Amino acid sequence: MNSGYDVIIGLEVHVELKTQSKLFCSCSASFGAEPNTHTCPVCLGMPGVLPVLNEEAVAYAVKAALALRCTVHPFSKFDRKQYFYPDLPKAYQISQYDQPLAEYGAVPIIVDGHVVKEVTVRRIHMEEDAGKLNHLGIRLGDAKGSLVDLNRAGVPLIEIVSEPDMRSADEARLYLTELRNVLSYLDISDLRMEEGSMRCDANVSLRPHDYVGSLEDLPRVEIKNVNSIRNVQRGIEYEVARQAELLARGERIVKETRGFDDQNGRTYSQRSKEEANDYRYFPEPDLPPLVLTQEAIERVARSLPPAPTVLREELQQAGVTAKEAEIIVGDRALWEYWREATTHYEDKRQVTNWILSDLSRLLNAHGDTWLTPRVTPAALADLLRLIANGTLSGRMAKEVLDRMYESGATAAQTVEAMGVSQITDHGAIQAVVQQVVADNPHVVQDYLNGKEKALGFLVGQVMKQTKGQAKPDMVNAILKGVIADYAKT
Ligand SMILES: [Zn+2]
């Protein structure tokens, strides 16, 4: 990068847990309802009410912590983080401060299917979400107003805090990609950055090579609430360039919180950064500490699905390349499709080829995802069987797949409707081959003179005349035989 400094990046990721109800009350935690319909005295912060901890949320949080290879503490506690904001009616947020649920895990950074680095997860804690402000520019007399929606107030969150281990915007992107990937297999969150069910704050600082202090003392800029992985990367890139320019001019970097404007790709100053002691944390008096037995933690551990790194290895053992495995495991729905297709059809190599080339192409062209493929894994397997038994050539099968994707019909129905099937009749192919040889004596002579490519041209002519339906390996064999006879004459 630049010779004068290192880029130091740490990420804080908030993940909304998709529990039935909120963290401390029985209101629905679902997204997208009419504003302020999922509220009650507890999440509205009325006086005299008491929070009750949601066990499902704890189970989800433990699941995430174990999947991220953290140590889950048998004893953790909740604390009040005091601050005023219009979307926070209690004027404090229940969070976990000095004794979080879990600590010291890791997220691998994967490049081309291989682990190239591990980023340490410093801590994972549970907390409640705040509400949401809608700045619609509503006019109240002469004043401008905003609306508050408290449906989100009290929805359970986990905050995943990394060590400042990342050294480039690219590493930050890869960390977030794998973090989301690991969590996607747990079914604990929608993980939609654009809807806010996964949110990322990025801490960025530059460490000059002659700097001798601790990382903590470096002036750090926090980029808040960026709404996509791509924008986290862009925000960091901008911020690194901005800070480098300040350093180059001999100016100081101010510790602050900045927003990211995705229209022009820039960060902008929001406020000076708070310190932990600004929040006046103290233990939440209305909740007992969170105590987890070893047995309860182990029960969750046993229920965990295999980690993506394990799935990638399994795929590679099945003959899938590292790069292909990264693509497949990187999308849980795609991995499930692959897994199901390979239970219907044994040749995993063939399944992988068709999924990653032709089926992916069709999905992209139609704007579909692997959650809603129009050709089921079983239907794809049927198609592959028609290739294996010689009914279809690979080229015909591509056309059949295109039609299947449009119509939703089975491979057999489509083949029948199209009236295509492979020509495997020896005599029929031989007749066409003889004609092609007779029509192209110069090309045949070229081949006999050692020009291998000439054979390809002749094969192409045969395929053209049979509308691609002649069985390719038969065409090759028969063509060579006919040419051999031709040479003798
Ligand atoms: Zn409520």
Side-chain angles (χ1 to χ4, degrees):
M1 172 137 263
N2 181 296
S3 54
Y5 54 82
D6 292 320
V7 177
I8 310 288
I9 301 162
L11 298 179
E12 294 167 16
V13 175
H14 284 90
V15 172
E16 257 182 22
L17 303 176
K18 58 173 182 189
T19 50
Q20 295 285 307
S21 54
K22 293 186 181 180
L23 189 52
F24 300 118
C25 63
S26 56
C27 291
S28 167
S30 66
F31 177 82
E34 279 290 295
N36 297 306
T37 53
H38 294 173
T39 54
C40 74
V42 174
C43 53
L44 291 174
M46 300 289 184
V49 294
L50 289 174
V52 177
L53 182 61
N54 179 345
E55 276 183 34
E56 192 187 16
V58 175
Y60 283 13
V62 171
K63 220 172 166 181
L66 291 173
L68 296 169
R69 290 151 51 198
C70 288
T71 302
V72 175
H73 296 305
F75 182 99
S76 63
K77 69 175 178 55
F78 289 96
D79 301 278
R80 286 191 182 180
K81 181 181 184 180
Q82 347 272 327
Y83 64 99
F84 172 79
Y85 208 68
D87 62 9
L88 188 72
K90 294 200 298 282
Y92 63 84
Q93 178 189 22
I94 303 179
S95 181
Q96 295 190 298
Y97 180 47
D98 54 343
Q99 291 184 283
L101 177 76
E103 288 179 291
Y104 298 109
V107 173
I109 287 187
I110 314 285
V111 175
D112 291 340
H114 301 286
V115 177
V116 296
K117 177 174 181 170
E118 296 221 304
V119 172
T120 299
V121 173
R122 184 196 295 161
R123 56 181 278 154
I124 296 180
H125 63 258
M126 300 182 70
E127 62 187 25
E128 57 180 340
D129 209 343
K132 222 174 179 173
L133 291 180
N134 293 324
H135 305 289
L136 301 169
I138 290 168
R139 303 206 69 90
L140 302 163
D142 289 337
K144 257 194 171 174
S146 294
L147 295 173
V148 63
D149 174 9
L150 294 173
N151 282 348
R152 203 177 69 179
V155 166
L157 291 176
I158 49 174
E159 181 173 343
I160 301 160
V161 182
S162 85
E163 290 286 4
D165 287 350
M166 286 152 276
R167 294 292 171 270
S168 67
D170 213 35
E171 279 191 3
R173 171 179 64 80
L174 293 168
Y175 168 87
L176 286 173
T177 303
E178 185 63 4
L179 175 67
R180 184 162 68 176
N181 194 12
V182 170
L183 297 177
S184 76
Y185 284 84
L186 306 179
D187 271 331
I188 58 167
S189 171
D190 290 335
L191 301 170
R192 292 205 184 103
M193 287 188 83
E194 66 288 357
E195 284 180 4
S197 52
M198 178 170 162
R199 309 196 279 274
C200 179
D201 305 332
N203 287 297
V204 182
S205 39
L206 300 188
R207 179 177 57 192
H209 284 159
D210 56 3
Y211 177 79
V212 285
S214 72
L215 283 185
E216 252 81 273
D217 293 335
L218 275 175
R220 189 167 66 229
V221 169
E222 182 176 27
I223 313 171
K224 269 283 189 202
N225 276 333
V226 191
N227 63 0
S228 72
I229 291 179
R230 172 82 190 111
N231 281 341
V232 172
Q233 184 180 10
R234 291 172 70 207
I236 293 171
E237 278 164 0
Y238 177 82
E239 195 47 36
V240 168
R242 188 187 70 87
Q243 293 185 24
E245 205 181 304
L246 288 176
L247 288 181
R249 287 205 303 258
E251 289 178 39
R252 269 167 34 105
I253 292 159
V254 185
K255 189 169 184 173
E256 63 180 342
T257 298
R258 297 176 75 89
F260 178 69
D261 178 345
D262 61 359
Q263 295 295 315
N264 61 25
R266 292 177 183 182
T267 64
Y268 56 91
S269 183
Q270 286 184 317
R271 55 190 148 100
S272 65
K273 176 125 181 73
E274 308 80 359
E275 302 291 338
N277 55 17
D278 292 337
Y279 291 117
R280 292 289 181 267
Y281 281 98
F282 70 84
E284 168 59 55
D286 291 341
L287 283 167
L290 175 53
V291 177
L292 295 164
T293 63
Q294 208 51 46
E295 203 235 311
I297 297 169
E298 277 163 18
R299 202 179 322 124
V300 177
R302 282 194 299 274
S303 77
L304 284 183
T309 41
V310 175
L311 298 177
R312 276 187 212 104
E313 262 170 44
E314 281 176 13
L315 259 62
Q316 288 181 51
Q317 277 160 17
V320 175
T321 68
K323 227 175 168 168
E324 290 168 339
E326 186 183 350
I327 297 170
I328 294 171
V329 175
D331 179 342
R332 182 183 164 185
L334 168 54
W335 175 76
E336 283 174 350
Y337 190 99
W338 184 90
R339 192 188 50 173
E340 202 187 324
T342 51
T343 64
H344 290 291
Y345 193 76
E346 209 167 58
D347 185 343
K348 296 184 168 74
R349 191 54 258 167
Q350 184 81 328
V351 169
T352 306
N353 289 344
W354 279 81
I355 285 180
L356 292 184
S357 56
D358 292 278
L359 202 47
S360 289
R361 170 179 55 77
L362 286 166
L363 246 71
N364 288 337
H366 289 82
D368 294 334
T369 71
W370 291 101
L371 289 171
T372 52
R374 299 192 208 177
V375 171
T376 64
L380 177 67
D382 286 340
L383 177 69
L384 299 186
R385 265 188 284 279
L386 293 180
I387 304 172
N389 71 16
T391 307
L392 295 176
S393 68
R395 200 175 113 184
M396 285 149 66
K398 280 178 202 285
E399 222 182 302
V400 172
L401 183 67
D402 283 358
R403 301 272 186 108
M404 286 167 71
Y405 203 91
E406 296 289 348
S407 66
T410 65
Q413 287 165 345
T414 308
V415 167
E416 206 189 319
M418 289 168 72
V420 292
S421 70
Q422 191 156 248
I423 300 168
T424 53
D425 180 76
H426 192 278
I429 296 177
Q430 191 166 29
V432 179
V433 166
Q434 279 165 340
Q435 190 59 47
V436 166
V437 167
D439 290 348
N440 296 282
H442 297 294
V443 183
V444 174
Q445 199 51 53
D446 283 350
Y447 174 70
L448 289 170
N449 291 342
K451 204 173 150 198
E452 281 288 325
K453 272 189 181 166
L455 192 69
F457 173 80
L458 296 170
V459 170
Q461 291 302 305
V462 175
M463 296 310 281
K464 198 172 161 190
Q465 295 205 17
T466 58
K467 298 192 175 72
Q469 285 171 248
K471 194 163 189 272
D473 54 342
M474 287 181 72
V475 172
N476 260 302
I478 293 170
L479 186 59
K480 281 181 182 166
V482 169
I483 291 176
D485 291 343
Y486 175 89
K488 285 180 210 151
T489 61

